Amino acid sequence: AVDLAAAEYAPLTDECLVFSAVVGDAPPADRLVALTAQASGEANAVVWVWEADLDDSGAPPLTNAPWAARTHWRQAVKLLPERRAVGEGEPLSLEVASGGGRDLAFALRDGPAAEAAPSRRHVRRTSRGVSAET
């Protein structure tokens, strides 16, 4: 876990929604997400956050997002299996594996992804995307 408010990192992609899930349903299927590098750097990790709407009351969702009210939860970080240099504007394919609903795994793959990730302008903020240490 990391506290993004205090961390030194350089985001290499825009935020995106990697998947949506409903508690009690089957875990989401693994997928490839199309991203575009917004900066050059070394991709070495994915920082992700979650958001849970626990009822229909209209109350704000429970989240570990850095822009939400601070809680004891921090943001999650997964190191990529292999570091990779990326250039600004480079198309990236991020493999997202749900691990049967128990453990998220991420990897950068060569070739185009089957679907583009919704940008933060179209969805609530739910992931920090691929990032690199500074």
Side-chain angles (χ1 to χ4, degrees):
V2 65
D3 183 354
L4 286 182
E8 289 188 35
Y9 73 102
L12 298 179
T13 68
D14 284 338
E15 299 170 6
C16 69
L17 178 69
V18 292
F19 63 76
S20 179
V22 176
V23 175
D25 286 359
D30 297 351
R31 61 187 277 207
L32 279 178
V33 177
L35 300 167
T36 301
Q38 300 300 312
S40 297
E42 184 178 54
N44 59 16
V46 173
V47 177
W48 60 274
V49 300
W50 51 262
E51 195 173 276
D53 188 356
L54 301 176
D55 59 32
D56 294 326
S57 71
L62 183 62
T63 182
N64 69 336
W67 55 86
R70 190 175 175 106
T71 68
H72 65 282
W73 287 303
R74 300 294 179 259
Q75 296 74 55
V77 177
K78 281 283 202 171
L79 295 176
L80 292 170
E82 297 178 16
R83 293 173 177 241
R84 180 170 148 191
V86 300
E88 183 176 356
E90 180 180 343
L92 302 171
S93 294
L94 180 67
E95 179 181 25
V96 181
S98 69
R102 300 220 176 254
D103 185 31
L104 289 177
F106 302 94
L108 286 178
R109 300 289 180 222
D110 292 329
E115 57 188 288
S119 75
R120 67 177 177 213
R121 291 176 293 280
H122 300 107
V123 297
R124 286 190 288 184
R125 297 158 72 153
T126 56
S127 175
R128 292 296 293 181
V130 178
S131 66
E133 296 174 349
T134 59

